[in-house]
Amino acid sequence: AMARAYENARGLLAERLLAALEAAEALGGDLRGKQSAAVLVVRDKPGEHPWEDRLVDLHVEDHPAPLAELRRLLTLHTAYRQMNLGDHSLEADDVEGALAHYGQAEALAPDNLEMKFWHAVSLANAGRVEAAVPLSRNSMVGIFQFVVAVLE
């Protein structure tokens, strides 16, 4: 079941590994019970900066539903990765690319106020204040109003 789940899963390695773990748990899992889970993915070849070689390093040390919690953490990790890609797009003056990445991050973590906030700030910085206002109302209204005032 683990092999089938891994082979049929889509996404990056961490996503496929977690799918395999979830398949194993669905069939009964470890007879010792459930308590912890982790996923570690590193680059295939070390880079210049060793601290950048760990692509995913997530741990759930003690939890009644460790795989569900690991799934939540991986989703949040992926959302923040999209936010970082959005930041890199902005640095390259690719506003549309940045907004697409921020939108993907928000889709993964729709309740994360920080992601909505930075999406709204990016829209405002791109001169799209009218599009930014609804996002800001759903996130950090006071902070966004302050930022808009500063930008004006």
Side-chain angles (χ1 to χ4, degrees), residues 113-126:
L113 298 179
E114 179 186 9
M115 291 181 191
K116 290 180 183 183
F117 171 74
W118 288 113
H119 188 176
V121 168
S122 296
L123 283 166
N125 283 336

Side-chain angles (χ1 to χ4, degrees), residues 51-68:
W51 57 88
E52 294 175 346
D53 292 343
R54 288 180 180 225
L55 303 176
V56 178
D57 187 2
L58 300 172
H59 304 262
V60 176
E61 302 301 338
D62 186 23
H63 197 279
L67 286 183

